[in-house]
Amino acid sequence: MANRRPIGTGRAKPATRADAAEKADKAERAGPQGRGDGRRVPATLRAAAALSAVEAVAAVGFGAWLALESLVQAPRGLAIAVGTGVFVVAVGVGLGVLGWGLFRARHWSRGLTVVLQLLMLPIGYELTSAPTTLAGIGMIVAALATLALVLAPASTAALRD
C-alpha cells in the first residue's frame, strides 16, 4: 500500500507507437460499415439500409408534397389532408432511422423494418390502380426486396449477435 500514489497526482502514461497503431487498427476494422467491434456489416444489410433510405426519401418527399398541395388547393377536408401528409413524412423519417440502424447492424432495427415493409405491401397494392400504377409497383418491389435482404441468413446472423 505504501507504493500507491494518491489519485490525481500521477502522470498519464505516454502513448507509444504500438498503442497508436492498435487504436488505428481498431478504427480501421470498425470502418464506415463496421459495427465498432471489428465485425463487418454484411452486404445484405447494407443493401437493405440503402433501400430503406430510398424509401425514406420518397416518403418524406411525397408527404411534404401532399401537405403543401393540400394547403395550396384547400380541399374540403383540409385537416385530414395535411395530417396525412405529416403522417407520411413521419413514416419517412422512421424509415430513415431504421435504415441507419440496419447500416450499423443494430438489432432493434430488424423487427421494425419487417413490420413497416409488411405494412407497405397492401398500401402498394392499393396504389397499383390507374394513375399511380408505377408508384404502387415500385413500393411493392422495394418492400419485398427489403424483406428478402433483412431476412437473409447473413443479415439474421449479424443482427443476432
Side-chain angles (χ1 to χ4, degrees), residues 21-132:
E22 182 180 338
K23 188 175 183 180
D25 184 48
K26 186 176 181 181
E28 183 180 323
R29 279 183 294 160
Q33 290 107 15
R35 296 175 48 148
D37 59 2
R39 291 180 287 159
R40 307 279 299 163
V41 176
T44 54
L45 273 183
R46 285 181 287 174
L51 274 173
S52 184
V54 168
E55 290 173 336
V57 169
V60 168
F62 178 71
W65 173 79
L66 187 63
L68 290 175
E69 182 187 26
S70 63
L71 289 174
V72 171
Q73 290 187 356
R76 203 169 15 184
L78 179 64
I80 292 173
V82 172
T84 302
V86 170
F87 177 74
V88 173
V89 167
V91 168
V93 170
L95 279 168
V97 170
L98 291 173
W100 176 83
L102 291 173
F103 185 74
R104 301 296 296 165
R106 303 293 189 232
H107 68 278
W108 52 264
S109 61
R110 181 181 182 203
L112 294 171
T113 299
V114 168
V115 168
L116 272 179
Q117 299 305 320
L118 288 174
L119 288 173
M120 283 186 179
L121 291 173
I123 295 170
Y125 177 75
E126 286 297 318
L127 289 176
T128 57
S129 59
T132 56

